[in-house]
């Protein structure tokens, strides 16, 4: 039995859509903005278990350090 997770995918292109389709079993949310405070707010409000930053820009801007 698989456990459903709350997953946030950050980005708004084709790569994100493909990942969204593959993770459709889970409660998956998409965010295409670049405001880190909004990302944190979504994570708290939706009780997000995993964040998938699909664009390299989020990694370069330090999203990992910001949300941990």
């Amino acid at each position: 039995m698989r456990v459903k997770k709350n997953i946030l995918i950050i980005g708004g292109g084709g790569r994100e859509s493909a990942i969204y389709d593959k993770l459709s079993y889970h409660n998956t949310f998409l965010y295409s903005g670049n405001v880190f405070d909004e990302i944190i707010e979504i994570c708290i409000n939706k009780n997000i278990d995993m964040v998938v930053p699909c664009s390299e820009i989020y990694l370069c801007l330090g999203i990992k350090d910001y949300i941990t």
Side-chain angles (χ1 to χ4, degrees), residues 2-59:
R2 294 192 300 181
V3 177
K4 283 194 173 190
K5 303 249 183 217
N6 295 330
I7 300 173
L8 176 63
I9 300 172
I10 305 173
R15 183 183 328 174
E16 292 81 1
S17 295
I19 293 171
Y20 181 83
D21 289 342
K22 291 295 179 182
L23 296 175
S24 63
Y25 171 78
H26 299 281
N27 300 322
T28 310
F29 305 94
L30 288 171
Y31 176 77
S32 61
N34 60 2
V35 180
F36 283 8
D37 288 337
E38 289 178 4
I39 295 171
I40 294 297
E41 193 172 309
I42 292 169
C43 289
I44 292 169
N45 292 338
K46 302 288 186 184
N47 197 22
I48 298 295
D49 298 308
M50 181 172 71
V51 176
V52 181
C54 292
S55 177
E56 292 80 12
I57 190 67
Y58 296 108
L59 297 172

